[in-house]
Amino acid sequence: MPPSSGTSDTPRPSRPGWEPRDPTLSAPPPTAPKRPRGLRRVLRILLGLTLLGALLLAGAFTAGYLLVDIPPANAAAVAQSNVYLYSDGSPIARDGEINRENVRLDQVPLGVRQAVLAAEDRDFHTSPVVDPKAMVRAAWNTVTGKGRQSGSTITQQYVKNYYLGQEQTLTRKAKEFFIAIKLGREKTKEDILQGYLNTSYFGRNAYGIQAAARAYYGKDVEQLDTTEGAYLAALLKAPSAYDVTTHPENRDKAVARWNYVLDGMVTEGWLAHAERTTARFPLPQTARPATGLSGQRGYLVQAVEAYLTDHGVLDEKTLAGGGYRITTTLERARQDTLVQAVEDRVISRLDPARAPSDRYVRVGAAAVDTATGKVVAMYGGIDYTQQYVNNATRRDYQVGSTFKPFVFTAAVQSGAHTQQGLPITPYTLYDGTNRRPVEGWNGNPYDPANEDDASYGDIAVGAATDLSVNTVYAQMAVDVGPAHVRRTAIALGVPGSTPDLTASPSIALGPATASVLDMASAYATLAAHGRHGTYTLVEGVTKGGRPVDLPSRPARQAVTREAADTTTAILRSVVEAGTGTAAQAAGRPAAGKTGTAEDDKAAWFAGYTPELATVVALMGQDPESGHQEPLYGALGLPRINGGGAPAEIWAQFTREALAGTPPRDFDLRLMPGAEELPPVPPMPDGPDDEEESAVTGEAGPGAVVSRSPLPRPRTPVRGQ
């Protein structure tokens, strides 16, 4: 038979290792692939670990629940006083008498209770007393740098306030967790909310909603309306920072938090849309501090407390709990000297009956040791019980031309050149014509006016500093780069968060609202040859005899010595022959700069000797409305400027504060080509002296001002 394509009876040759299948047997069922033994072992291990973890967690929970009891009230609930001391150990003040009056929950209006819940725990009535998920989320946000968050329910916060403390530790959080669970089994939600409202800290030394109602609105809690309750609820997040009368610069943040609370009430159905639409921010009354903090004591305590909380030494609630002994850097003798200088040069001359604008005069001053960065004296106002806001630390008045030295420092630091490529030195010529538009700026056109619209023509940088010529410094800021000017100011000590510290040509004219203390710190850096150590107000803190850790303050070279010292050289000329000649009464080598805020609402003198940097500012504020007001006519003068009373206070304080120590000259290392600047010869006496002072707008009574530029080198350089 011929071969075919079908099957064949001829057996196939066998391959090694292969046996033909018996066709009479059925095919074996397919077998599932065997799971690798290694994978099964891993799964068993994971399952075992999961079970073990669950058992451990259950055991830990059981142990924690059994071992952690509800403790008695903590120290904050029965708080002590804090003691504040001068550097020599003599007392400044004792603060911390607790202002608390417990109320029943039914005394708190429903809208106020709901505002607190909208701010702190909107699911309070329906959620468990602890929220593990929120705690984990808060811990993760804290670890990853998204901000410290508590993740706590109102019950947990009440436990922290009344039974534990404010320290951020795992042990405290664990105790808080178990106590809250036990408390939730023993007390109703209403009991817990009542306890929370009576123990929470609202600022102004007010513990509890009743004390807060009296402190902020001068009424009992029953009389609060919903908008007022929403503001008090907003305070719980940051009590002092959101006090809009104490920190007017934070008003926008406080109002935003208040809006958040009201919007949350609408979301939860607790507030009608119509009522929300008509709600207006309820401005609280001015704080009325305890009389034990009268005079300067309250200002000093307030500044020290702010330093401790801002630098993370103690949080606000822990500090308010009391029991701390705080030694400051303030020197009693110098403190008294500063107060006396203000009294002699300003307070004793005020007569509101003669000059109504005398009602507006406020004084702020601060002195910093240039070698250590320690604040040795501070003047906050006429009396803490009368003017609550500390004029030495507030950040809402323009610093004016006291900012200009930072522009020149930035120029030397960066080796900046004019628009024509010439180096900027004290001898560089600029056009000081009034309303001259700046060149080289890509933003909106900018043509600043000089004081009283004076024009100077070609003028050297040193002379322009003496006379505080705005057009020169606005152009110089563009030549240097406004962003670099801003960075230099921050490096010297001006906080980066300062309002209106904007990188534009106007930065040179001082629209920024740094505090007197901020500026004293920055000028101290110039005096210390560019070496900056963050200022400090605190020498040591103890509680129960145990020291509290303070932040380290390593000094750093903020700008080069040549940049700082060359700036000092031109600021010496300001005192010797410019707008700050009144400072010569200190009887020592000195450098300084005058400044005036827009509309003459503030006048500044910032100056230093090799040992001491001091800044003094007069500010205009209506005592009733709180609005900033011009100082025209105050002290019986047509206008107040930095070369007048501020420089006079500076000179008297500096002379007395350094009495008994030999005068020291500045040891300057100048930039190449900027030899020691000779003084500008004074203008001859004549009938035009008074008019000349008025033209510059910054020299005080009796000051002699010259328009003559500094002696020029043989080959002057020309700026834009």
Side-chain angles (χ1 to χ4, degrees):
M1 177 181 293
S4 67
S5 60
T7 60
S8 171
D9 291 335
T10 305
R12 296 178 181 176
S14 61
R15 296 194 299 267
W18 179 85
E19 293 292 337
R21 180 175 63 84
D22 187 343
T24 63
L25 299 176
S26 60
T31 59
K34 293 184 178 179
R35 190 184 303 271
R37 291 184 178 180
L39 179 59
R40 288 199 300 272
R41 185 180 300 110
V42 170
L43 291 176
R44 285 197 300 269
I45 292 173
L46 289 176
L47 179 60
L49 290 175
T50 301
L51 293 174
L52 178 61
L55 289 173
L56 289 174
L57 285 175
F61 179 86
T62 302
Y65 188 83
L66 294 174
L67 293 174
V68 177
D69 294 323
I70 299 178
N74 65 11
V78 288
Q80 309 169 57
S81 296
N82 292 320
V83 177
Y84 296 82
L85 307 170
Y86 285 109
S87 60
D88 63 0
S90 58
I92 297 174
R94 183 180 295 272
D95 181 33
E97 294 181 4
I98 298 304
N99 175 23
R100 178 190 288 116
E101 181 182 348
N102 292 341
V103 293
R104 300 187 312 275
L105 188 62
D106 59 12
Q107 292 178 264
V108 183
L110 179 61
V112 176
R113 283 180 266 162
Q114 291 171 333
V116 171
L117 296 179
E120 297 296 307
D121 189 353
R122 297 178 186 179
D123 298 324
F124 171 72
H125 285 293
T126 58
S127 62
V129 294
V130 295
D131 186 350
K133 185 185 296 185
M135 293 174 67
V136 172
R137 182 175 62 250
W140 174 254
N141 288 338
T142 300
V143 170
T144 56
K146 296 180 180 179
R148 180 180 293 178
Q149 301 177 18
S150 68
S152 299
T153 63
I154 276 182
T155 304
Q156 290 172 272
Q157 292 183 57
Y158 171 50
V159 168
K160 178 176 63 175
N161 290 342
Y162 193 72
Y163 296 106
L164 299 174
Q166 305 297 324
E167 63 274 9
Q168 296 289 331
T169 64
L170 292 177
T171 300
R172 197 270 295 162
K173 292 295 292 184
K175 290 181 178 179
E176 173 190 300
F177 179 82
F178 291 112
I179 294 171
I181 293 175
K182 287 191 173 183
L183 203 66
R185 293 177 177 271
E186 297 181 12
K187 293 183 179 290
T188 66
K189 291 275 189 174
E190 288 70 23
D191 291 336
I192 292 172
L193 181 58
Q194 175 177 296
Y196 175 74
L197 291 173
N198 282 323
T199 57
S200 293
Y201 183 62
F202 291 85
R204 297 192 181 183
N205 200 34
Y207 286 82
I209 193 73
Q210 166 65 10
R214 299 297 309 177
Y216 287 90
Y217 293 106
K219 60 178 69 172
D220 291 324
V221 67
E222 294 97 330
Q223 299 170 314
L224 291 175
D225 63 31
T226 299
T227 62
E228 293 165 340
Y231 176 65
L232 296 183
L235 288 170
L236 290 168
K237 182 178 181 181
S240 293
Y242 286 173
D243 188 337
V244 295
T245 64
T246 304
H247 293 285
E249 70 274 14
N250 291 342
R251 180 187 174 97
D252 290 345
K253 293 180 180 179
V255 172
R257 181 68 178 173
W258 175 77
N259 282 320
Y260 166 80
V261 174
L262 291 180
D263 291 341
M265 295 180 69
V266 173
T267 300
E268 297 297 323
W270 298 333
L271 183 67
H273 283 279
E275 189 176 352
R276 172 69 182 94
T277 302
T278 59
R280 295 294 179 267
F281 183 73
L283 189 68
Q285 66 184 13
T286 302
R288 294 180 174 85
T291 56
L293 297 178
S294 60
Q296 295 301 305
R297 292 192 293 270
Y299 298 121
L300 302 182
V301 167
Q302 184 189 71
V304 171
E305 288 180 345
Y307 177 87
L308 291 172
T309 56
D310 291 348
H311 289 80
V313 179
L314 298 168
D315 66 72
E316 188 174 347
K317 293 181 180 179
T318 300
L319 182 60
Y324 291 94
R325 187 176 182 86
I326 301 161
T327 302
T328 72
T329 60
L330 297 162
E331 299 177 11
R332 185 166 191 164
R334 286 178 169 177
Q335 177 67 29
D336 292 343
T337 297
L338 181 56
V339 173
Q340 189 62 52
V342 175
E343 173 68 28
D344 292 346
R345 299 295 175 173
V346 174
I347 306 302
S348 63
R349 296 165 58 187
L350 296 177
D351 185 359
R354 176 201 62 198
S357 55
D358 279 355
R359 296 173 55 247
Y360 303 151
V361 175
R362 305 285 181 269
V363 182
V368 176
D369 185 298
T370 60
T372 63
K374 295 178 180 180
V375 181
V376 297
M378 178 185 295
Y379 185 92
I382 183 68
D383 190 310
Y384 186 69
T385 62
Q386 299 176 36
Q387 296 174 14
Y388 187 59
V389 178
N390 189 336
N391 296 324
T393 58
R394 66 191 301 171
R395 293 189 176 118
D396 57 343
Y397 279 85
Q398 294 179 345
V399 301
S401 293
T402 57
F403 195 91
K404 286 175 180 170
F406 306 154
V407 182
F408 182 76
T409 303
V412 181
Q413 170 75 13
S414 62
H417 292 70
T418 68
Q419 294 291 301
Q420 295 182 346
L422 300 173
I424 297 175
T425 74
Y427 291 111
T428 302
L429 296 182
Y430 273 88
D431 185 348
T433 302
N434 186 52
R435 292 286 185 186
R436 177 189 177 279
V438 298
E439 298 180 4
W441 173 245
N442 296 325
N444 293 329
Y446 185 61
D447 56 344
N450 292 327
E451 187 76 22
D452 295 324
D453 293 322
S455 285
Y456 299 89
D458 288 352
I459 186 170
V461 168
T465 308
D466 290 347
L467 304 177
S468 205
V469 182
N470 290 339
T471 51
V472 169
Y473 267 89
Q475 182 62 58
M476 193 190 305
V478 173
D479 295 345
V480 176
H484 184 64
V485 172
R486 185 180 188 277
R487 288 193 296 270
T488 300
I490 293 171
L492 289 170
V494 177
S497 59
T498 300
D500 295 323
L501 185 62
T502 306
S504 68
S506 66
I507 193 173
L509 310 189
T513 57
S515 72
V516 168
L517 183 55
D518 295 335
M519 296 299 285
S521 176
Y523 271 69
T525 304
L526 293 175
H529 308 294
R531 194 161 180 78
H532 175 67
T534 306
Y535 80 85
T536 180
L537 267 164
V538 177
E539 195 78 67
V541 180
T542 62
K543 185 172 185 179
R546 296 181 179 179
V548 175
D549 290 336
L550 296 177
S552 61
R553 301 182 305 105
R556 57 183 174 77
Q557 196 68 36
V559 297
T560 64
R561 176 167 181 168
E562 289 75 13
D565 286 1
T566 308
T567 302
T568 295
I570 65 172
L571 294 185
R572 287 194 64 182
S573 181
V574 172
V575 172
E576 292 167 354
T579 58
T581 55
Q584 293 178 16
R588 292 172 174 268
K593 184 71 186 76
T594 57
T596 305
E598 188 176 6
D599 297 327
D600 283 13
K601 293 177 180 177
W604 297 67
F605 184 78
Y608 52 94
T609 66
E611 307 93 340
L612 196 61
T614 306
V615 176
V616 182
L618 266 63
M619 308 167 185
Q621 182 177 20
D622 189 307
E624 297 175 0
S625 68
H627 294 156
Q628 295 187 14
E629 297 289 348
L631 291 170
Y632 299 124
L635 301 178
L637 300 171
R639 71 193 312 173
I640 298 294
N641 39 57
E648 293 169 1
I649 293 171
W650 184 94
Q652 179 174 329
F653 166 71
T654 302
R655 183 178 65 248
E656 298 299 326
L658 296 176
T661 63
R664 284 175 51 196
D665 204 349
F666 292 98
D667 178 19
L668 302 181
R669 185 184 301 166
L670 304 183
M671 66 181 294
E675 66 275 8
E676 185 75 22
L677 304 177
V680 178
M683 291 285 287
D685 294 338
D688 294 330
D689 283 354
E690 183 177 348
E691 178 182 356
E692 190 71 29
S693 178
V695 168
T696 65
E698 299 223 7
V704 178
V705 179
S706 170
R707 292 184 189 275
S708 303
L710 291 166
R712 302 177 184 176
R714 292 184 178 181
T715 307
V717 291
R718 177 73 162 79
Q720 291 296 314

